[in-house]
């Protein structure tokens, strides 16, 4: 199977570089792309950069290589008060929290003519849950929010949690990756590890734990690929 893995930041892609022996680096605009083989799969690994536009550019470039599956991994800030630093969120669905076309009859978070939520296939969700059981990490399926905002305000986090039922975390790329994958008809799932919470000093905590969060998300992904036929 041909599998694409997209990560926003260098800190989040480091685990893949260390464990996959990535080769054939290619740079197209803001996107850096490597290839590798792992457990019988052909991998495309891309660093997209931060934010929705960078994520969409990278996913479009990757989609043109016709992968069977796109996995977006990295870090995120907790939205649910139950989530702790290091927890894994398996994206049952992703959606934007900063899109608002309700004046035209769309749902809050829905880009006009696009789905309100980008749902991952059930087999992918279950596969990642099974992979989690082989690790020491805490994994929870749920909704992942995306927006071009780093959220470090307790009141903002509380508002997101109350507005978007089931929201577990917020980040800046996942729904954009999922939207492009949807447009190309490619299966997609977003996996995020919690790097910070608004209850603490989020910008300081993020700097301290982003590498660990990226590693945790990557560990689950590689564990999943071992069992993927």
């Amino acid at each position: 199977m041909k599998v694409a893995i997209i990560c926003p930041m260098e800190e989040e892609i480091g685990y893949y570089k260390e464990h996959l022996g990535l080769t054939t680096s290619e740079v197209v605009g803001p996107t850096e792309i490597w290839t590798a083989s792992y457990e019988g799969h052909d991998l495309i690994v891309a660093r997209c950069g931060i934010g929705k536009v960078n994520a969409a550019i990278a996913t479009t470039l990757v989609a043109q290589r016709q992968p069977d599956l796109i996995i977006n991994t990295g870090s995120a800030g907790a939205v649910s008060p139950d989530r702790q630093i290091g927890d894994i969120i398996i994206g049952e669905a992703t959606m934007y929290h900063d899109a608002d076309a309700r004046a035209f009859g769309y749902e809050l978070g829905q880009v006009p003519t696009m789905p309100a939520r980008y749902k991952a296939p059930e087999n992918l969700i279950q596969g990642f849950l099974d992979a989690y059981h082989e690790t020491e990490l805490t994994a929870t399926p749920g909704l992942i929010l995306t927006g071009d905002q780093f959220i470090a305000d307790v009141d903002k986090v509380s508002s997101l949690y109350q507005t978007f039922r089931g929201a577990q975390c917020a980040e800046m790329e996942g729904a954009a990756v999922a939207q492009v994958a949807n447009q190309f008809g490619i299966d997609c799932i977003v996996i995020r590890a919690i790097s910070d919470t608004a209850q603490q000093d989020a910008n300081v905590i993020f700097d301290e734990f982003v590498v660990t969060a990226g590693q945790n998300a990557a560990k689950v992904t590689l564990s999943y690929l071992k069992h993927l036929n």
Side-chain angles (χ1 to χ4, degrees):
M1 181 177 286
K2 184 184 288 187
V3 179
I5 300 171
I6 299 175
C7 298
M9 299 171 61
E10 186 67 26
E11 292 90 341
E12 296 164 329
I13 209 167
Y15 189 89
Y16 296 112
K17 284 185 174 181
E18 180 182 350
H19 288 81
L20 295 177
L22 301 179
T23 59
T24 316
S25 179
E26 176 185 1
V27 179
V28 182
T31 304
E32 194 166 5
I33 301 172
W34 298 265
T35 58
S37 294
Y38 182 74
E39 297 291 337
H41 304 294
D42 295 324
L43 301 187
I44 305 161
V45 182
R47 181 181 55 77
C48 63
I50 297 170
K52 295 184 294 187
V53 171
N54 284 334
I57 291 170
T59 310
T60 300
L61 291 170
V62 164
Q64 291 174 338
R65 298 179 178 224
Q66 299 181 319
D68 302 294
L69 168 64
I70 295 176
I71 304 170
N72 175 225
T73 75
S75 59
V79 170
S80 168
D82 296 328
R83 302 283 70 82
Q84 303 296 321
I85 289 172
D87 288 356
I88 297 288
I89 307 302
I90 299 170
E92 290 183 319
T94 57
M95 69 180 302
Y96 300 110
H97 66 75
D98 61 352
D100 190 350
R102 286 177 291 177
F104 299 99
Y106 294 97
E107 294 182 32
L108 179 63
Q110 183 177 13
V111 173
T113 77
M114 294 287 101
R117 298 187 179 201
Y118 299 96
K119 296 181 180 179
E122 289 292 336
N123 65 308
L124 292 180
I125 298 168
Q126 187 59 53
F128 272 93
L129 280 172
D130 292 343
Y132 143 74
H133 289 303
E134 298 185 2
T135 75
E136 74 285 1
L137 304 171
T138 299
T140 302
L143 175 64
I144 296 175
L145 302 177
T146 298
D148 280 326
Q149 303 171 14
F150 181 85
I151 300 170
D153 180 80
V154 174
D155 291 338
K156 176 65 173 178
V157 168
S158 178
S159 176
L160 290 177
Y161 185 64
Q162 294 173 19
T163 301
F164 297 98
R165 174 178 287 186
Q168 299 297 313
C169 64
E171 38 83 287
M172 300 177 69
E173 298 83 23
V177 172
Q179 181 179 343
V180 174
N182 176 269
Q183 293 287 78
F184 280 90
I186 301 171
D187 285 345
C188 179
I189 191 166
V190 179
I191 308 294
R192 294 287 170 151
I194 301 300
S195 60
D196 56 276
T197 71
Q199 284 72 28
Q200 299 164 297
D201 192 342
N203 58 329
V204 174
I205 295 297
F206 175 82
D207 289 339
E208 183 176 349
F209 288 101
V210 63
V211 174
T212 300
Q215 289 175 345
N216 287 348
K219 285 178 182 178
V220 175
T221 299
L222 294 185
S223 178
Y224 170 74
L225 291 177
K226 287 182 181 179
H227 304 291
L228 181 64
N229 295 322

